[in-house]
PDB file of all heavy atoms in Angstrom:
ATOM      1  N   LEU D  27      -1.049   1.592   5.693  1.00 91.00           N
ATOM      2  CA  LEU D  27      -1.259   2.304   4.429  1.00 91.00           C
ATOM      3  C   LEU D  27      -0.274   3.455   4.243  1.00 91.00           C
ATOM      4  O   LEU D  27       0.045   3.806   3.108  1.00 91.00           O
ATOM      5  CB  LEU D  27      -2.695   2.800   4.334  1.00 91.00           C
ATOM      6  CG  LEU D  27      -3.768   1.700   4.280  1.00 91.00           C
ATOM      7  CD1 LEU D  27      -5.145   2.325   4.140  1.00 91.00           C
ATOM      8  CD2 LEU D  27      -3.503   0.722   3.160  1.00 91.00           C
ATOM      9  N   ARG D  31       1.895   3.854   0.917  1.00 91.00           N
ATOM     10  CA  ARG D  31       1.939   5.091   0.129  1.00 91.00           C
ATOM     11  C   ARG D  31       3.390   5.555  -0.071  1.00 91.00           C
ATOM     12  O   ARG D  31       3.761   6.040  -1.132  1.00 91.00           O
ATOM     13  CB  ARG D  31       1.129   6.193   0.791  1.00 91.00           C
ATOM     14  CG  ARG D  31       0.986   7.432  -0.107  1.00 91.00           C
ATOM     15  CD  ARG D  31       0.239   8.561   0.540  1.00 91.00           C
ATOM     16  NE  ARG D  31      -1.168   8.369   0.746  1.00 91.00           N
ATOM     17  CZ  ARG D  31      -2.116   8.640  -0.166  1.00 91.00           C
ATOM     18  NH1 ARG D  31      -1.789   9.079  -1.355  1.00 91.00           N
ATOM     19  NH2 ARG D  31      -3.379   8.465   0.122  1.00 91.00           N
ATOM     20  N   LEU D  37      -0.562  -0.679  -5.880  1.00 96.00           N
ATOM     21  CA  LEU D  37      -1.129  -1.235  -4.660  1.00 96.00           C
ATOM     22  C   LEU D  37      -2.177  -2.278  -5.016  1.00 96.00           C
ATOM     23  O   LEU D  37      -2.967  -2.079  -5.956  1.00 96.00           O
ATOM     24  CB  LEU D  37      -1.776  -0.101  -3.858  1.00 96.00           C
ATOM     25  CG  LEU D  37      -2.300  -0.400  -2.478  1.00 96.00           C
ATOM     26  CD1 LEU D  37      -1.138  -0.703  -1.531  1.00 96.00           C
ATOM     27  CD2 LEU D  37      -3.084   0.783  -1.956  1.00 96.00           C
ATOM     28  N   VAL D  38      -2.176  -3.362  -4.283  1.00 97.00           N
ATOM     29  CA  VAL D  38      -3.198  -4.392  -4.414  1.00 97.00           C
ATOM     30  C   VAL D  38      -3.850  -4.535  -3.051  1.00 97.00           C
ATOM     31  O   VAL D  38      -3.165  -4.750  -2.052  1.00 97.00           O
ATOM     32  CB  VAL D  38      -2.596  -5.751  -4.848  1.00 97.00           C
ATOM     33  CG1 VAL D  38      -3.662  -6.834  -4.865  1.00 97.00           C
ATOM     34  CG2 VAL D  38      -1.930  -5.629  -6.208  1.00 97.00           C
ATOM     35  N   VAL D  39      -5.175  -4.385  -3.005  1.00 96.00           N
ATOM     36  CA  VAL D  39      -5.922  -4.554  -1.761  1.00 96.00           C
ATOM     37  C   VAL D  39      -6.598  -5.913  -1.817  1.00 96.00           C
ATOM     38  O   VAL D  39      -7.286  -6.234  -2.792  1.00 96.00           O
ATOM     39  CB  VAL D  39      -6.983  -3.440  -1.572  1.00 96.00           C
ATOM     40  CG1 VAL D  39      -7.787  -3.658  -0.309  1.00 96.00           C
ATOM     41  CG2 VAL D  39      -6.320  -2.071  -1.581  1.00 96.00           C
ATOM     42  N   MET D  40      -6.368  -6.698  -0.771  1.00 96.00           N
ATOM     43  CA  MET D  40      -6.944  -8.040  -0.714  1.00 96.00           C
ATOM     44  C   MET D  40      -7.853  -8.160   0.501  1.00 96.00           C
ATOM     45  O   MET D  40      -7.594  -7.557   1.537  1.00 96.00           O
ATOM     46  CB  MET D  40      -5.847  -9.092  -0.652  1.00 96.00           C
ATOM     47  CG  MET D  40      -4.957  -9.102  -1.867  1.00 96.00           C
ATOM     48  SD  MET D  40      -3.690 -10.374  -1.793  1.00 96.00           S
ATOM     49  CE  MET D  40      -4.701 -11.824  -2.061  1.00 96.00           C
ATOM     50  N   VAL D  46      -9.484  -7.243  -4.280  1.00 98.00           N
ATOM     51  CA  VAL D  46     -10.711  -6.456  -4.412  1.00 98.00           C
ATOM     52  C   VAL D  46     -10.471  -5.141  -5.156  1.00 98.00           C
ATOM     53  O   VAL D  46     -11.404  -4.554  -5.687  1.00 98.00           O
ATOM     54  CB  VAL D  46     -11.393  -6.188  -3.055  1.00 98.00           C
ATOM     55  CG1 VAL D  46     -11.836  -7.497  -2.418  1.00 98.00           C
ATOM     56  CG2 VAL D  46     -10.506  -5.397  -2.118  1.00 98.00           C
ATOM     57  N   GLU D  47      -9.206  -4.689  -5.169  1.00 98.00           N
ATOM     58  CA  GLU D  47      -8.885  -3.453  -5.879  1.00 98.00           C
ATOM     59  C   GLU D  47      -7.383  -3.399  -6.123  1.00 98.00           C
ATOM     60  O   GLU D  47      -6.605  -3.892  -5.312  1.00 98.00           O
ATOM     61  CB  GLU D  47      -9.323  -2.236  -5.058  1.00 98.00           C
ATOM     62  CG  GLU D  47      -9.223  -0.925  -5.807  1.00 98.00           C
ATOM     63  CD  GLU D  47     -10.019   0.198  -5.164  1.00 98.00           C
ATOM     64  OE1 GLU D  47     -10.678  -0.006  -4.127  1.00 98.00           O
ATOM     65  OE2 GLU D  47      -9.984   1.296  -5.714  1.00 98.00           O
ATOM     66  N   HIS D  48      -6.999  -2.804  -7.240  1.00 98.00           N
ATOM     67  CA  HIS D  48      -5.574  -2.642  -7.542  1.00 98.00           C
ATOM     68  C   HIS D  48      -5.407  -1.451  -8.463  1.00 98.00           C
ATOM     69  O   HIS D  48      -6.342  -1.027  -9.137  1.00 98.00           O
ATOM     70  CB  HIS D  48      -4.984  -3.910  -8.173  1.00 98.00           C
ATOM     71  CG  HIS D  48      -5.610  -4.267  -9.485  1.00 98.00           C
ATOM     72  ND1 HIS D  48      -5.140  -3.775 -10.684  1.00 98.00           N
ATOM     73  CD2 HIS D  48      -6.668  -5.035  -9.779  1.00 98.00           C
ATOM     74  CE1 HIS D  48      -5.878  -4.251 -11.667  1.00 98.00           C
ATOM     75  NE2 HIS D  48      -6.821  -5.018 -11.144  1.00 98.00           N
ATOM     76  N   GLY D  49      -4.202  -0.910  -8.446  1.00 97.00           N
ATOM     77  CA  GLY D  49      -3.900   0.212  -9.321  1.00 97.00           C
ATOM     78  C   GLY D  49      -2.758   1.033  -8.774  1.00 97.00           C
ATOM     79  O   GLY D  49      -2.044   0.611  -7.857  1.00 97.00           O
ATOM     80  N   LEU D  50      -2.580   2.209  -9.343  1.00 97.00           N
ATOM     81  CA  LEU D  50      -1.560   3.127  -8.850  1.00 97.00           C
ATOM     82  C   LEU D  50      -1.890   3.490  -7.403  1.00 97.00           C
ATOM     83  O   LEU D  50      -3.051   3.728  -7.063  1.00 97.00           O
ATOM     84  CB  LEU D  50      -1.496   4.380  -9.717  1.00 97.00           C
ATOM     85  CG  LEU D  50      -1.091   4.148 -11.182  1.00 97.00           C
ATOM     86  CD1 LEU D  50      -1.205   5.442 -11.977  1.00 97.00           C
ATOM     87  CD2 LEU D  50       0.310   3.585 -11.263  1.00 97.00           C
ATOM     88  N   THR D  51      -0.893   3.517  -6.574  1.00 96.00           N
ATOM     89  CA  THR D  51      -1.091   3.690  -5.136  1.00 96.00           C
ATOM     90  C   THR D  51      -1.884   4.951  -4.812  1.00 96.00           C
ATOM     91  O   THR D  51      -2.855   4.896  -4.053  1.00 96.00           O
ATOM     92  CB  THR D  51       0.268   3.712  -4.413  1.00 96.00           C
ATOM     93  OG1 THR D  51       0.912   2.460  -4.654  1.00 96.00           O
ATOM     94  CG2 THR D  51       0.103   3.918  -2.916  1.00 96.00           C
ATOM     95  N   ASP D  52      -1.490   6.091  -5.364  1.00 96.00           N
ATOM     96  CA  ASP D  52      -2.197   7.336  -5.060  1.00 96.00           C
ATOM     97  C   ASP D  52      -3.654   7.272  -5.488  1.00 96.00           C
ATOM     98  O   ASP D  52      -4.539   7.751  -4.779  1.00 96.00           O
ATOM     99  CB  ASP D  52      -1.503   8.528  -5.712  1.00 96.00           C
ATOM    100  CG  ASP D  52      -0.198   8.892  -5.028  1.00 96.00           C
ATOM    101  OD1 ASP D  52      -0.023   8.509  -3.851  1.00 96.00           O
ATOM    102  OD2 ASP D  52       0.641   9.535  -5.665  1.00 96.00           O
ATOM    103  N   ARG D  53      -3.922   6.670  -6.644  1.00 97.00           N
ATOM    104  CA  ARG D  53      -5.304   6.576  -7.112  1.00 97.00           C
ATOM    105  C   ARG D  53      -6.145   5.700  -6.194  1.00 97.00           C
ATOM    106  O   ARG D  53      -7.253   6.051  -5.818  1.00 97.00           O
ATOM    107  CB  ARG D  53      -5.365   6.026  -8.543  1.00 97.00           C
ATOM    108  CG  ARG D  53      -6.666   6.379  -9.212  1.00 97.00           C
ATOM    109  CD  ARG D  53      -7.586   5.282  -9.712  1.00 97.00           C
ATOM    110  NE  ARG D  53      -7.330   3.921  -9.468  1.00 97.00           N
ATOM    111  CZ  ARG D  53      -8.142   3.132  -8.713  1.00 97.00           C
ATOM    112  NH1 ARG D  53      -9.191   3.626  -8.103  1.00 97.00           N
ATOM    113  NH2 ARG D  53      -7.886   1.867  -8.581  1.00 97.00           N
ATOM    114  N   VAL D  54      -5.596   4.552  -5.812  1.00 97.00           N
ATOM    115  CA  VAL D  54      -6.345   3.635  -4.945  1.00 97.00           C
ATOM    116  C   VAL D  54      -6.605   4.271  -3.578  1.00 97.00           C
ATOM    117  O   VAL D  54      -7.723   4.178  -3.053  1.00 97.00           O
ATOM    118  CB  VAL D  54      -5.597   2.298  -4.785  1.00 97.00           C
ATOM    119  CG1 VAL D  54      -6.253   1.428  -3.731  1.00 97.00           C
ATOM    120  CG2 VAL D  54      -5.540   1.548  -6.114  1.00 97.00           C
ATOM    121  N   LEU D  55      -5.612   4.934  -3.016  1.00 96.00           N
ATOM    122  CA  LEU D  55      -5.783   5.501  -1.682  1.00 96.00           C
ATOM    123  C   LEU D  55      -6.548   6.825  -1.675  1.00 96.00           C
ATOM    124  O   LEU D  55      -7.248   7.128  -0.712  1.00 96.00           O
ATOM    125  CB  LEU D  55      -4.423   5.672  -1.007  1.00 96.00           C
ATOM    126  CG  LEU D  55      -3.672   4.367  -0.729  1.00 96.00           C
ATOM    127  CD1 LEU D  55      -2.324   4.652  -0.079  1.00 96.00           C
ATOM    128  CD2 LEU D  55      -4.495   3.407   0.131  1.00 96.00           C
ATOM    129  N   ASP D  56      -6.432   7.611  -2.735  1.00 96.00           N
ATOM    130  CA  ASP D  56      -7.120   8.900  -2.781  1.00 96.00           C
ATOM    131  C   ASP D  56      -8.553   8.778  -3.282  1.00 96.00           C
ATOM    132  O   ASP D  56      -9.398   9.621  -2.960  1.00 96.00           O
ATOM    133  CB  ASP D  56      -6.368   9.887  -3.674  1.00 96.00           C
ATOM    134  CG  ASP D  56      -5.028  10.300  -3.073  1.00 96.00           C
ATOM    135  OD1 ASP D  56      -4.835  10.112  -1.854  1.00 96.00           O
ATOM    136  OD2 ASP D  56      -4.169  10.789  -3.839  1.00 96.00           O
ATOM    137  N   ASP D  57      -8.849   7.755  -4.069  1.00 97.00           N
ATOM    138  CA  ASP D  57     -10.192   7.573  -4.632  1.00 97.00           C
ATOM    139  C   ASP D  57     -10.545   6.083  -4.660  1.00 97.00           C
ATOM    140  O   ASP D  57     -10.703   5.500  -5.727  1.00 97.00           O
ATOM    141  CB  ASP D  57     -10.242   8.172  -6.039  1.00 97.00           C
ATOM    142  CG  ASP D  57     -11.645   8.160  -6.612  1.00 97.00           C
ATOM    143  OD1 ASP D  57     -12.622   8.121  -5.837  1.00 97.00           O
ATOM    144  OD2 ASP D  57     -11.765   8.172  -7.856  1.00 97.00           O
ATOM    145  N   PRO D  58     -10.661   5.460  -3.477  1.00 97.00           N
ATOM    146  CA  PRO D  58     -10.942   4.022  -3.440  1.00 97.00           C
ATOM    147  C   PRO D  58     -12.321   3.715  -4.018  1.00 97.00           C
ATOM    148  O   PRO D  58     -13.290   4.419  -3.728  1.00 97.00           O
ATOM    149  CB  PRO D  58     -10.867   3.691  -1.949  1.00 97.00           C
ATOM    150  CG  PRO D  58     -11.062   4.974  -1.230  1.00 97.00           C
ATOM    151  CD  PRO D  58     -10.576   6.049  -2.147  1.00 97.00           C
ATOM    152  N   GLN D  59     -12.402   2.677  -4.829  1.00 97.00           N
ATOM    153  CA  GLN D  59     -13.646   2.304  -5.484  1.00 97.00           C
ATOM    154  C   GLN D  59     -14.386   1.189  -4.743  1.00 97.00           C
ATOM    155  O   GLN D  59     -15.614   1.185  -4.690  1.00 97.00           O
ATOM    156  CB  GLN D  59     -13.377   1.883  -6.936  1.00 97.00           C
ATOM    157  CG  GLN D  59     -12.737   2.970  -7.772  1.00 97.00           C
ATOM    158  CD  GLN D  59     -13.614   4.203  -7.871  1.00 97.00           C
ATOM    159  OE1 GLN D  59     -14.761   4.118  -8.301  1.00 97.00           O
ATOM    160  NE2 GLN D  59     -13.088   5.358  -7.456  1.00 97.00           N
ATOM    161  N   HIS D  60     -13.654   0.244  -4.210  1.00 97.00           N
ATOM    162  CA  HIS D  60     -14.281  -0.888  -3.542  1.00 97.00           C
ATOM    163  C   HIS D  60     -14.628  -0.511  -2.102  1.00 97.00           C
ATOM    164  O   HIS D  60     -13.883   0.213  -1.438  1.00 97.00           O
ATOM    165  CB  HIS D  60     -13.338  -2.098  -3.566  1.00 97.00           C
ATOM    166  CG  HIS D  60     -13.993  -3.366  -3.124  1.00 97.00           C
ATOM    167  ND1 HIS D  60     -14.084  -3.719  -1.801  1.00 97.00           N
ATOM    168  CD2 HIS D  60     -14.601  -4.349  -3.835  1.00 97.00           C
ATOM    169  CE1 HIS D  60     -14.709  -4.882  -1.702  1.00 97.00           C
ATOM    170  NE2 HIS D  60     -15.043  -5.281  -2.934  1.00 97.00           N
ATOM    171  N   GLU D  61     -15.746  -1.007  -1.616  1.00 97.00           N
ATOM    172  CA  GLU D  61     -16.193  -0.648  -0.262  1.00 97.00           C
ATOM    173  C   GLU D  61     -15.187  -1.070   0.821  1.00 97.00           C
ATOM    174  O   GLU D  61     -15.026  -0.365   1.825  1.00 97.00           O
ATOM    175  CB  GLU D  61     -17.564  -1.242   0.047  1.00 97.00           C
ATOM    176  CG  GLU D  61     -17.599  -2.753   0.045  1.00 97.00           C
ATOM    177  CD  GLU D  61     -18.995  -3.317   0.250  1.00 97.00           C
ATOM    178  OE1 GLU D  61     -19.936  -2.810  -0.372  1.00 97.00           O
ATOM    179  OE2 GLU D  61     -19.115  -4.267   1.036  1.00 97.00           O
ATOM    180  N   TYR D  62     -14.489  -2.178   0.619  1.00 96.00           N
ATOM    181  CA  TYR D  62     -13.497  -2.606   1.606  1.00 96.00           C
ATOM    182  C   TYR D  62     -12.311  -1.640   1.630  1.00 96.00           C
ATOM    183  O   TYR D  62     -11.833  -1.267   2.696  1.00 96.00           O
ATOM    184  CB  TYR D  62     -13.027  -4.034   1.314  1.00 96.00           C
ATOM    185  CG  TYR D  62     -12.048  -4.552   2.339  1.00 96.00           C
ATOM    186  CD1 TYR D  62     -12.453  -4.832   3.639  1.00 96.00           C
ATOM    187  CD2 TYR D  62     -10.712  -4.745   2.015  1.00 96.00           C
ATOM    188  CE1 TYR D  62     -11.562  -5.294   4.588  1.00 96.00           C
ATOM    189  CE2 TYR D  62      -9.808  -5.214   2.952  1.00 96.00           C
ATOM    190  CZ  TYR D  62     -10.235  -5.485   4.242  1.00 96.00           C
ATOM    191  OH  TYR D  62      -9.344  -5.939   5.185  1.00 96.00           O
ATOM    192  N   THR D  63     -11.847  -1.210   0.463  1.00 96.00           N
ATOM    193  CA  THR D  63     -10.757  -0.234   0.395  1.00 96.00           C
ATOM    194  C   THR D  63     -11.201   1.082   1.028  1.00 96.00           C
ATOM    195  O   THR D  63     -10.436   1.714   1.755  1.00 96.00           O
ATOM    196  CB  THR D  63     -10.316  -0.010  -1.061  1.00 96.00           C
ATOM    197  OG1 THR D  63     -10.075  -1.261  -1.681  1.00 96.00           O
ATOM    198  CG2 THR D  63      -9.067   0.836  -1.129  1.00 96.00           C
ATOM    199  N   GLN D  64     -12.421   1.478   0.773  1.00 95.00           N
ATOM    200  CA  GLN D  64     -12.953   2.700   1.383  1.00 95.00           C
ATOM    201  C   GLN D  64     -12.943   2.590   2.901  1.00 95.00           C
ATOM    202  O   GLN D  64     -12.572   3.544   3.597  1.00 95.00           O
ATOM    203  CB  GLN D  64     -14.380   2.959   0.884  1.00 95.00           C
ATOM    204  CG  GLN D  64     -14.441   3.315  -0.578  1.00 95.00           C
ATOM    205  CD  GLN D  64     -15.860   3.307  -1.137  1.00 95.00           C
ATOM    206  OE1 GLN D  64     -16.825   2.992  -0.436  1.00 95.00           O
ATOM    207  NE2 GLN D  64     -15.985   3.641  -2.412  1.00 95.00           N
ATOM    208  N   LEU D  65     -13.314   1.429   3.423  1.00 94.00           N
ATOM    209  CA  LEU D  65     -13.306   1.203   4.864  1.00 94.00           C
ATOM    210  C   LEU D  65     -11.887   1.286   5.430  1.00 94.00           C
ATOM    211  O   LEU D  65     -11.659   1.920   6.464  1.00 94.00           O
ATOM    212  CB  LEU D  65     -13.930  -0.157   5.177  1.00 94.00           C
ATOM    213  CG  LEU D  65     -14.004  -0.542   6.646  1.00 94.00           C
ATOM    214  CD1 LEU D  65     -14.930   0.400   7.405  1.00 94.00           C
ATOM    215  CD2 LEU D  65     -14.471  -1.982   6.774  1.00 94.00           C
ATOM    216  N   LEU D  66     -10.923   0.679   4.733  1.00 93.00           N
ATOM    217  CA  LEU D  66      -9.525   0.724   5.187  1.00 93.00           C
ATOM    218  C   LEU D  66      -9.010   2.160   5.238  1.00 93.00           C
ATOM    219  O   LEU D  66      -8.406   2.582   6.221  1.00 93.00           O
ATOM    220  CB  LEU D  66      -8.633  -0.102   4.267  1.00 93.00           C
ATOM    221  CG  LEU D  66      -8.775  -1.614   4.325  1.00 93.00           C
ATOM    222  CD1 LEU D  66      -7.925  -2.248   3.244  1.00 93.00           C
ATOM    223  CD2 LEU D  66      -8.397  -2.131   5.686  1.00 93.00           C
ATOM    224  N   VAL D  67      -9.252   2.895   4.168  1.00 94.00           N
ATOM    225  CA  VAL D  67      -8.762   4.282   4.081  1.00 94.00           C
ATOM    226  C   VAL D  67      -9.438   5.133   5.139  1.00 94.00           C
ATOM    227  O   VAL D  67      -8.780   5.925   5.817  1.00 94.00           O
ATOM    228  CB  VAL D  67      -8.971   4.848   2.661  1.00 94.00           C
ATOM    229  CG1 VAL D  67      -8.701   6.344   2.628  1.00 94.00           C
ATOM    230  CG2 VAL D  67      -8.081   4.105   1.673  1.00 94.00           C
ATOM    231  N   SER D  68     -10.729   4.990   5.322  1.00 91.00           N
ATOM    232  CA  SER D  68     -11.428   5.803   6.317  1.00 91.00           C
ATOM    233  C   SER D  68     -11.002   5.444   7.731  1.00 91.00           C
ATOM    234  O   SER D  68     -10.983   6.305   8.611  1.00 91.00           O
ATOM    235  CB  SER D  68     -12.938   5.674   6.170  1.00 91.00           C
ATOM    236  OG  SER D  68     -13.382   4.383   6.534  1.00 91.00           O
ATOM    237  N   SER D  69     -10.636   4.211   7.975  1.00 88.00           N
ATOM    238  CA  SER D  69     -10.187   3.819   9.320  1.00 88.00           C
ATOM    239  C   SER D  69      -8.860   4.471   9.660  1.00 88.00           C
ATOM    240  O   SER D  69      -8.593   4.785  10.809  1.00 88.00           O
ATOM    241  CB  SER D  69     -10.095   2.300   9.461  1.00 88.00           C
ATOM    242  OG  SER D  69      -9.008   1.789   8.713  1.00 88.00           O
ATOM    243  N   VAL D  70      -8.013   4.692   8.670  1.00 81.00           N
ATOM    244  CA  VAL D  70      -6.736   5.378   8.892  1.00 81.00           C
ATOM    245  C   VAL D  70      -6.984   6.848   9.189  1.00 81.00           C
ATOM    246  O   VAL D  70      -6.375   7.424  10.081  1.00 81.00           O
ATOM    247  CB  VAL D  70      -5.800   5.217   7.675  1.00 81.00           C
ATOM    248  CG1 VAL D  70      -4.584   6.109   7.820  1.00 81.00           C
ATOM    249  CG2 VAL D  70      -5.393   3.770   7.517  1.00 81.00           C
ATOM    250  N   LEU D  71      -7.895   7.448   8.456  1.00 68.00           N
ATOM    251  CA  LEU D  71      -8.206   8.870   8.657  1.00 68.00           C
ATOM    252  C   LEU D  71      -8.854   9.113  10.009  1.00 68.00           C
ATOM    253  O   LEU D  71      -8.650  10.155  10.623  1.00 68.00           O
ATOM    254  CB  LEU D  71      -9.133   9.376   7.543  1.00 68.00           C
ATOM    255  CG  LEU D  71      -8.534   9.362   6.147  1.00 68.00           C
ATOM    256  CD1 LEU D  71      -9.585   9.782   5.124  1.00 68.00           C
ATOM    257  CD2 LEU D  71      -7.319  10.269   6.057  1.00 68.00           C
TER     258      LEU D  71
END
Side-chain angles (χ1 to χ4, degrees):
L27 296 182
R31 188 182 290 273
L37 187 68
V38 175
V39 178
M40 298 181 72
V46 297
E47 189 163 0
H48 62 89
L50 297 174
T51 299
D52 287 339
R53 200 239 7 115
V54 171
L55 296 179
D56 292 342
D57 187 23
Q59 300 299 303
H60 190 275
E61 63 184 44
Y62 183 69
T63 310
Q64 292 169 358
L65 180 65
L66 289 174
V67 170
S68 69
S69 71
V70 171
L71 295 175

